[in-house]
């Protein structure tokens, strides 16, 4: 379904398990950034009422996920910690076309968002299937389903607002680009790292 070109090596979970606190903090901030991204889309495209409604709901859901991860951190006797830069997301964002008509930028922003959700979904699947901590495995399985729904929602909106843009072709370009980006990651205890 996701069509990612480069799957995550399951051995990445071995790295994650060396520092669960780090992945949880990184994950919490990924959820916060996803909420911020949804808010940014609704602010920049207020005339698209269905997008505004969907992004409002998504921002709330992502903040709920943030809260859920934060509760896991506190249950472990830890604190959230400082936000980390997400180099993977920054590299993906560089592929978003800028300086084009609003409609083209919107399609790219939606595909950028879909790509992050797709990779997060895939990483959560790998975690749910390979992490020794059964509670975290169930947690990540639940979130994997949520991320898959977000991915499909962003793709549907990109197709709806394509205005003649070949979304399937552009998505294929995103998949190729993302494979080159993700090849440099998978060596740290972060969601995308």
């Amino acid at each position: 379904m996701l069509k990612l070109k480069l799957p995550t090596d399951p051995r990445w979970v071995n790295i994650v398990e060396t520092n669960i606190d780090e992945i949880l903090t990184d994950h919490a901030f990924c959820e916060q950034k996803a909420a911020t991204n949804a808010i940014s889309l609704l602010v920049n495209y207020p005339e698209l009422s269905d997008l505004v409604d969907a992004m409002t709901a998504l921002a709330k859901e992502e903040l709920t996920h943030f809260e859920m991860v934060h509760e896991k951190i506190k249950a472990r006797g830890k604190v959230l910690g400082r936000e980390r830069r997400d180099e993977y997301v920054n590299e993906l964002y560089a592929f978003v076309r800028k300086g084009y008509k609003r409609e083209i930028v919107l399609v790219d922003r939606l595909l950028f968002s879909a790509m992050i959700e797709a990779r997060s979904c895939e990483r959560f699947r790998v975690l749910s299937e390979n992490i020794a901590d059964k509670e975290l495995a169930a947690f990540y399985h639940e979130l994997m389903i949520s991320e898959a729904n977000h991915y499909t929602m962003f793709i549907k909106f990109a197709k709806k607002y394509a205005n003649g843009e070949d979304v399937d072709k552009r998505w294929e370009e995103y998949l190729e680009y993302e494979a080159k980006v993700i090849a440099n990651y998978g060596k740290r205890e972060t969601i995308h790292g």
Side-chain angles (χ1 to χ4, degrees), residues 125-180:
R125 180 190 56 77
V126 171
L127 280 169
S128 72
E129 293 174 355
N130 296 286
I131 199 163
D133 184 317
K134 297 304 175 199
E135 180 186 335
L136 284 178
F139 178 64
Y140 280 110
H141 179 77
E142 180 184 328
L143 290 178
M144 172 195 70
I145 295 165
S146 179
E147 301 296 296
N149 290 331
H150 300 166
Y151 153 77
T152 57
M153 175 191 64
F154 280 119
I155 294 287
K156 286 177 187 173
F157 274 119
K159 289 182 176 185
K160 178 175 183 175
Y161 291 112
N163 198 23
E165 181 80 10
D166 186 342
V167 172
D168 292 331
K169 179 177 180 279
R170 185 63 176 153
W171 181 243
E172 189 59 36
E173 292 169 357
Y174 260 94
L175 289 167
E176 294 293 335
Y177 180 78
E178 194 271 350
K180 292 173 188 166

Side-chain angles (χ1 to χ4, degrees), residues 35-95:
T36 301
N37 182 57
I39 292 167
S40 174
L41 282 166
L42 70 87
V43 166
N44 285 295
Y45 296 91
E47 71 278 11
L48 305 176
S49 294
D50 58 343
L51 183 67
V52 170
D53 290 343
M55 292 304 105
T56 300
L58 180 60
K60 290 176 184 176
E61 182 180 348
E62 300 290 16
L63 283 176
T64 298
H65 291 170
F66 174 89
E67 183 178 35
M68 291 165 61
V69 178
H70 188 228
E71 289 302 319
K72 295 266 182 224
I73 292 168
K74 292 190 307 185
R76 297 172 68 84
K78 305 293 182 178
V79 295
L80 180 59
R82 297 215 177 262
E83 178 183 8
R84 282 85 166 142
R85 289 178 48 92
D86 193 329
E87 298 300 332
Y88 165 83
V89 170
N90 291 337
E91 286 187 53
L92 274 188
Y93 190 71
F95 198 64

